[in-house]
């Protein structure tokens, strides 16, 4: 049930066809960083880096192509440098971390 609630929260990230307002992206990036810190055991330094990486990604998602496009690849590449091997493997195995934005009808 807890995982389902998390998945639903992640799906709500992409709300509109335009880029997210800063406050919305900030809140979603904080939520995602908190969840990753809990699930992956992030250090304080990793937490800050993960938050910034996720915020950059969320602020740059404008279209359906952006969801798994250039900024998604940049996000995953940057996280590869921040996370340890076992953390990154767990990150990639967790759909709600690896693909945090779902594009629905119109946004």
């Amino acid at each position: 049930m807890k995982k389902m609630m998390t998945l639903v929260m992640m799906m709500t990230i992409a709300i509109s066809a335009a880029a997210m307002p800063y406050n919305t992206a900030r809140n979603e990036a904080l939520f995602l960083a908190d969840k990753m810190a809990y699930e992956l055991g992030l250090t304080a330094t990793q937490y800050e880096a993960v938050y910034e990486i996720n915020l950059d990604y969320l602020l740059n998602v404008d279209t359906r192509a952006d969801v798994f496009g250039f900024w998604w690849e940049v996000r995953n590449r940057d996280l590869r440098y921040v996370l340890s091997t076992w953390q990154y493997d767990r990150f990639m195995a967790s759909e709600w971390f690896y693909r945090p934005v779902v594009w629905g009808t119109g946004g």
Side-chain angles (χ1 to χ4, degrees):
M1 183 69 175
K2 196 180 225 182
K3 288 183 180 180
M4 185 62 118
M5 294 282 291
T6 302
L7 184 58
V8 170
M9 285 295 289
M10 294 298 143
M11 289 179 163
T12 62
I13 289 177
I15 295 172
S16 68
M20 275 188 212
Y22 178 79
N23 285 337
T24 303
R26 184 181 145 275
N27 289 337
E28 296 297 337
L30 283 170
F31 175 79
L32 191 54
D34 287 345
K35 187 71 174 159
M36 290 175 78
Y38 177 76
E39 297 281 331
L40 302 176
L42 303 180
T43 65
T45 304
Q46 286 176 316
Y47 178 88
E48 291 297 322
V50 164
Y51 164 73
E52 291 294 329
I53 292 166
N54 285 321
L55 182 61
D56 287 344
Y57 169 67
L58 293 172
L59 288 173
N60 286 292
V61 173
D62 286 328
T63 66
R64 176 182 285 267
D66 291 337
V67 173
F68 302 121
F70 175 76
W71 289 106
W72 181 69
E73 292 173 7
V74 169
R75 172 187 177 258
N76 292 336
R77 185 195 64 220
D78 290 348
L79 286 172
R80 179 67 192 106
Y81 292 108
V82 171
L83 302 175
S84 68
T85 302
W86 76 268
Q87 287 172 323
Y88 190 75
D89 289 344
R90 246 180 112 186
F91 160 78
M92 289 191 53
S94 302
E95 187 73 18
W96 55 91
F97 291 154
Y98 187 58
R99 298 182 186 271
V101 176
V102 175
W103 195 272
T105 305

